[in-house]
Amino acid sequence: FASYSADEYGEASDAIRLFDFHADFANPLASTFIERSESPLPVAAFDPTSPPDRTDIAQPAPGERLDANSDRLNFRLAYRNFGSSESLVVNQTVRTSTVDPYRAGVRVYELKRTGDAFVVAEQSTIGDNSSSRWIGSVAQDNQGNLAVGYNFVTETKKPSILYSGKLAGEPAGIFRAEETLIGGTGVQKAFGWRWGDYAGLTVDPVDDCTFWQTGQYYTQASEDFSDFTWLTRIGSFKFTECTATPRSVITGHVTNASSGQPVENVKVTAGQYSRTSTASGNYGNLVVLPGSYTLTASARGFLPQTVTVSPTNGQTLTQNFALQPIPVFENPVTRVTGESCGANGAPDPGETVIVNISLQNTGSLPTQNLLATLQPSGGVTNPGGSQFYGPMSVNGPLVTRPFSFTVATGVTCGVPITLTLQLQEGLTNVGTIVITLPTGRPKVAFQQNFDRIQQGFLPVRWMRSATNINGLPDGPRNWRVSAARSQSGSKAVFSPDLNQVGRSEMLTPVFAVDTPNAKLSFRNWYEFETTFLRNRLYDGSVLDIKIGNAPWQDIIVAGGVFEAGAYDGLLDACCQNPLAGRPGWSGRSGINQTSEFITTAVRLPQTAAGQQVQLRWQVGTDVGGFREGQYIDDLLVTDGTTCSCTQ
C-alpha cells in the first residue's frame, strides 16, 4: 500500500510512504499492516493543495470548474516483477502554479527494488503553468517501459485525454512528447465538479506491450444533448520499441477415467499459473512463458494427476487428463453413547467410552465394503475392533458405527483428543479421517437466553438505564426483551437505534470467574446508522467489563481478545454520539446486504481470574438518521472445563 506525506499538511517532509499488509486467513488476529523500514521515501518537493471545495480546474465556457482530486494518490499502485528487480509505479495530481489561476500536473513515480528496500527511480511532474493535467494512471509493459495517461484542459482547449511515457533505459525525468487518445469537443456543465473518477491504464496480457487507457470526455453533440451525457473513451497504444513477451498456451480437457464424462471444477496448475475446468471439462487456455512445467490436475473426489510439459514459444500444447474417481468422507458426525463413569456426554481422561461415528460418501466413486479402523494415537488407547460400513453409494445416507476406546489417563481435562480412522476398501487405502473431540464439559459461569422473560423487561438482577441529551423521554431507548427477532426460542434482548443524541446501557448481574480461560459468546444482530459505504460509523454499540473493584473498561482495553464478531471500527465523532471515538459495532451484522445473527466470541481478560465480574452493553446514537438497533441472544460465559470421571 502507498500514501504520501506533504509539508503543506503539517507533516515533516514531502515523501511517499509504503506499507506491507499481511493477511493471515488462518488466524486473522495475526494479520499485520506495517510501514516498511525504508519508508517514508523522501522525494522532490511538491504541492498537493488545490483551491477550496471542488472548484479547481477551469474549462472553456460554459463549463464548470473541475475537481483536481489532489488529496490522494491516483489509480493505481501497479506492481511488476522483472526477475532481477521489482517496480511499483503510481501517480498523483500536484499544483504546478504558484499564483492564480490554479494549474495542475501529474507527478509520476517509479519505486524500484533490487534488494530488500525500494528506492525512488523516477519522480517527474508532467505539466506547466498554462494548462492542467490531472487524474492520471500509470503502468509498465514487460520491458519496464513506463506509460502515463491523464486528462488535459485549458481555458481555451476543451477536456481531452492524453498520454506520454518513457523507455526503461531512457534517462529519469525525460518523458516523450504527449499524444492524444481523444480530443474532446464539449465541456461539462453538471455533476458537481467531479470528472471521470477515476482513470485507468492497464497492460494487455496477450502481448504485454499494448496499454489500454480509459477516461471521460465530452463531444459537442453530447454536451448539446444533455448536461449529463458524458462519454467514456477506451483506447490503446504501445511503444514501437516493445517486443511482445514470449507466450505458450496449454489447453485440454479433463474426464472421469471410469465413465469418460467431463469433470467440472478441476484445478489445473503449472507453477504459479492455474485454470479451472468448465462443465465441458475444458480448462484452456492456460497462458504461460515458454519452459518446462509440472502440470497438475486436481479435484475433490478424484486422485490428482501430474505430468511434465515443455511448451515452446508460440506453441499451443494440448494435454488431456483422465482422473481416477475416489470415495470421499468428510464432516463426520459423532455422538457419545456410552461412558464407564461420571456420564456427562463427553470423554474424560481415563474413561472408556463408546462413540458413534456417522459417515457419508460425498466423493465420485461408491464403496463396496468400507472398513474403518480406529488408531491408538492422539490420546486414544485400547481401541476396539474395526467396523465395516458396507457398501456406500455416492451422496447416499449417513451410515453409523460404534467405536469403543479408553481416553489416556495422561490427558489433561479440557484438552481435546484426536480420533484417527484408517479407511480401507478391499486392498485400496482410502485415506484417513481425523476427528477432534473435546474432553470434559465447559463450566458455565453465566448464561441467559431471555426466553422466559416478559417482553419489555429484563431478567432479574439485570439493570438498565438510558439518557437522551435533548431531554426527551428515555423509555423508548431502554434495553428490553423483545420477540421481534431471536436466534433461539422466541425472544432476545433489544435496544433501538434512535435519531436522537443519547445512550442506553444494559448491565448483567455480577458473576464469579475462577480461571484465566473464561470466554464470552453471544448471538449478535445489529443495524446501526452509517454512510452508504460504511466508511463512517455514526451510531453503534460497545461492550464494557468491570473486574472486581476496578472501573468499567472497554473489553479490549481491559485485555479481552475477540475471536469472532469483533468491532467494525471507530464510531464517528462528527455528530454528538456519546460513544464517539470508541471502537464499536456499527452498520450491518454479517457479510450480506441484510443484517443477520452472527456469533460474537471474546476471551475475557486473564486478570478476571479469581474476581467478581460484570458486563455492560452500551448503544450510542447521534443527531442524524436511525436504524433498527441491536439484538442479543444466547449469551454464555464459560470458565474452564470440568471432568466428572474419577477413575
Side-chain angles (χ1 to χ4, degrees):
F1 284 79
S3 66
Y4 74 81
S5 61
D7 54 18
E8 288 82 2
Y9 296 149
E11 295 166 303
S13 62
D14 293 349
I16 295 294
R17 301 178 65 187
L18 293 177
F19 303 82
D20 286 336
F21 176 43
H22 168 68
D24 191 324
F25 296 101
N27 180 16
L29 292 176
S31 299
T32 57
F33 188 86
I34 301 172
E35 188 161 10
R36 293 181 57 83
S37 59
E38 71 269 32
S39 177
L41 298 174
V43 296
F46 65 86
D47 184 351
T49 63
S50 57
D53 302 317
R54 300 183 185 273
T55 55
D56 305 333
I57 296 172
Q59 302 180 86
E64 65 180 359
R65 287 183 175 267
L66 303 173
D67 185 1
N69 265 311
S70 64
D71 60 340
R72 69 206 71 182
L73 297 179
N74 286 160
F75 180 87
R76 61 180 171 154
L77 180 66
Y79 167 84
R80 291 216 62 150
N81 190 325
F82 297 106
S84 60
S85 66
E86 299 164 83
S87 283
L88 294 168
V89 294
V90 72
N91 81 101
Q92 68 181 125
T93 300
V94 298
R95 182 189 287 267
T96 59
S97 59
T98 57
V99 296
D100 290 336
Y102 170 80
R103 303 298 187 194
V106 173
R107 168 69 73 92
V108 180
Y109 301 99
E110 180 186 5
L111 311 178
K112 183 172 289 187
R113 178 166 66 178
T114 55
D116 294 331
F118 282 98
V119 297
V120 179
E122 179 65 68
Q123 48 175 334
S124 300
T125 299
I126 302 173
D128 53 44
N129 290 328
S130 61
S131 57
S132 284
R133 294 160 180 82
W134 81 109
I135 304 183
S137 186
V138 192
Q140 290 176 293
D141 62 23
N142 74 90
Q143 296 174 338
N145 304 322
L146 189 152
V148 54
Y150 42 86
N151 303 293
F152 169 87
V153 73
T154 73
E155 285 87 346
T156 59
K157 295 181 180 180
K158 297 180 179 180
S160 300
I161 305 174
L162 306 186
Y163 62 90
S164 182
K166 60 186 292 290
L167 295 181
E170 293 178 337
I174 306 299
F175 278 73
R176 296 189 171 186
E178 293 176 316
E179 301 286 348
T180 301
L181 187 75
I182 182 68
T185 55
V187 296
Q188 177 169 292
K189 299 182 291 183
F191 282 128
W193 313 290
R194 306 301 291 271
W195 178 270
D197 301 353
Y198 296 88
L201 187 69
T202 55
V203 181
D204 195 313
V206 175
D207 64 1
D208 211 353
C209 283
T210 301
F211 295 95
W212 287 92
Q213 184 177 357
T214 66
Q216 177 183 326
Y217 75 107
Y218 277 84
T219 63
Q220 187 64 56
S222 68
E223 176 195 333
D224 293 341
F225 183 79
S226 169
D227 288 351
F228 300 94
T229 322
W230 56 271
L231 306 172
T232 297
R233 187 69 172 188
I234 304 173
S236 64
F237 60 90
K238 67 178 181 179
F239 292 94
T240 58
E241 297 90 341
C242 183
T243 302
T245 300
R247 287 286 189 266
S248 304
V249 175
I250 304 173
T251 188
H253 287 78
V254 185
T255 57
N256 184 316
S258 295
S259 66
Q261 295 298 308
V263 182
E264 187 177 6
N265 292 325
V266 178
K267 186 175 183 180
V268 180
T269 60
Q272 69 268 43
Y273 307 102
S274 66
R275 295 279 292 179
T276 303
S277 65
T278 63
S280 67
N282 182 20
Y283 68 84
N285 293 324
L286 184 61
V287 181
V288 300
L289 294 172
S292 181
Y293 294 92
T294 298
L295 195 65
T296 300
S298 58
R300 184 183 176 280
F302 295 88
L303 291 175
Q305 185 178 351
T306 298
V307 297
T308 299
V309 296
S310 299
T312 59
N313 187 30
Q315 179 187 12
T316 297
L317 185 150
T318 300
Q319 178 63 57
N320 297 323
F321 292 92
L323 300 185
Q324 182 64 46
I326 58 172
V328 174
F329 301 93
E330 299 171 329
N331 303 318
V333 178
T334 62
R335 184 168 67 91
V336 177
T337 59
E339 300 179 72
S340 63
C341 66
N344 62 353
D348 291 345
E351 183 179 35
T352 298
V353 297
I354 298 174
V355 177
N356 280 0
I357 301 179
S358 301
L359 301 180
Q360 182 185 31
N361 182 3
T362 58
S364 302
L365 185 71
T367 67
Q368 300 303 314
N369 198 12
L370 183 71
L371 178 69
T373 304
L374 181 61
Q375 304 298 300
S377 61
V380 172
T381 63
N382 304 319
S386 301
Q387 295 286 348
F388 280 101
Y389 278 81
M392 300 183 68
S393 60
V394 174
N395 295 323
L398 287 167
V399 179
T400 303
R401 295 291 184 266
F403 292 83
S404 65
F405 62 92
T406 300
V407 181
T409 55
V411 173
T412 301
C413 180
V415 174
I417 59 174
T418 301
L419 279 60
T420 301
L421 286 184
Q422 178 67 53
L423 303 180
Q424 195 81 13
E425 172 69 6
L427 298 178
T428 303
N429 183 349
V430 183
T432 60
I433 294 178
V434 177
I435 303 168
T436 300
L437 287 181
T439 57
R441 284 292 185 187
K443 176 187 173 184
V444 176
F446 182 74
Q447 65 180 336
Q448 180 59 253
N449 64 13
F450 307 102
D451 290 328
R452 297 184 179 182
I453 311 304
Q454 183 180 350
Q455 290 193 57
F457 294 86
L458 292 182
V460 174
R461 295 188 299 115
W462 287 61
M463 294 181 288
R464 64 184 177 183
S465 65
T467 304
N468 283 324
I469 304 302
N470 56 13
L472 294 175
D474 61 9
R477 182 182 291 277
N478 259 327
W479 286 88
R480 57 188 180 273
V481 169
S482 168
R485 298 183 187 275
S486 64
Q487 176 61 46
S488 66
S490 60
K491 299 172 188 173
V493 68
F494 165 71
S495 179
D497 175 8
L498 305 179
N499 61 342
Q500 305 163 356
V501 176
R503 179 180 60 87
S504 64
E505 66 176 17
M506 175 179 66
L507 286 69
T508 68
V510 174
F511 57 90
V513 171
D514 296 328
T515 76
N517 302 314
K519 293 184 179 182
L520 162 70
S521 67
F522 58 94
R523 297 293 282 171
N524 193 3
W525 188 107
Y526 55 89
E527 186 168 328
F528 291 113
E529 183 200 7
T530 67
T531 55
F532 175 75
L533 296 177
R534 308 185 196 180
N535 58 329
R536 299 188 66 178
L537 312 179
Y538 296 130
D539 299 341
S541 68
V542 299
L543 172 63
D544 300 325
I545 188 170
K546 182 175 174 60
I547 301 173
N549 294 323
W552 286 101
Q553 287 184 296
D554 181 90
I555 188 68
I556 301 303
V557 174
V561 177
F562 279 109
E563 295 181 337
Y567 290 150
D568 296 296
L570 293 179
L571 302 181
D572 205 293
C574 71
C575 308
Q576 304 176 45
N577 186 334
L579 303 177
R582 290 189 56 174
W585 291 291
S586 189
R588 301 188 186 100
S589 54
I591 61 174
N592 298 309
Q593 293 300 312
T594 57
S595 297
E596 57 189 311
F597 274 101
I598 63 172
T599 295
T600 290
V602 58
R603 298 199 302 271
L604 296 188
Q606 293 188 355
T607 54
Q611 300 289 332
Q612 297 292 306
V613 171
Q614 195 172 15
L615 300 173
R616 176 176 71 183
W617 284 262
Q618 297 188 81
V619 169
T621 59
D622 63 15
V623 295
F626 64 94
R627 298 294 185 269
E628 187 167 345
Q630 183 174 25
Y631 297 84
I632 292 173
D633 202 359
D634 297 341
L635 188 151
L636 175 66
V637 178
T638 60
D639 186 13
T641 308
T642 61
C643 291
S644 55
C645 185
T646 58
Q647 290 185 4

